[in-house]
Amino acid sequence: MKRIKAACLEQTIHFQLKDGISAELAKQQVQQEYESYKGQMDRHKTQYKIIEEAEQPDGSLIVKIKKQNNAQPVGNYLD
């Protein structure tokens, strides 16, 4: 029998600008979407660690993140 001792997902997420609106408004919406995403993980008590945030020249945002998979323990992945 096998059991998972620790598990973690590593993701690269691209928060892209929406078309058809002003650049400044699109940048604000990207930041709001990103904050909402982090808030959702906090509300669900998902453990996570942001590895890198990179704002792109167009105002979009690329985020590298390690996060808990389901309710599995994360061990030392987030240290």
Side-chain angles (χ1 to χ4, degrees):
M1 180 189 298
K2 64 181 177 193
R3 294 189 188 265
I4 296 173
K5 293 286 191 178
C8 190
L9 293 175
E10 186 168 335
Q11 297 178 324
T12 302
I13 303 170
H14 189 181
F15 292 92
Q16 297 178 322
L17 301 177
K18 295 192 174 34
D19 293 332
I21 58 176
S22 72
E24 191 59 38
L25 181 59
K27 289 177 187 179
Q28 289 175 356
Q29 287 182 349
V30 163
Q31 283 300 322
Q32 288 174 347
E33 183 179 6
Y34 178 47
E35 293 302 321
S36 175
Y37 180 73
K38 290 191 302 185
Q40 179 184 5
M41 288 190 296
D42 290 338
R43 281 190 304 280
H44 289 103
K45 297 183 172 116
T46 301
Q47 296 179 51
Y48 66 94
K49 181 178 183 181
I50 296 172
I51 306 302
E52 181 181 341
E53 294 177 1
E55 186 172 338
Q56 302 304 294
D58 68 350
S60 65
L61 186 63
I62 294 180
V63 179
K64 292 184 181 182
I65 187 170
K66 285 184 180 181
K67 71 179 197 174
Q68 183 178 25
N69 182 28
N70 298 328
Q72 298 293 333
V74 294
N76 62 355
Y77 283 114
L78 300 181
D79 294 340

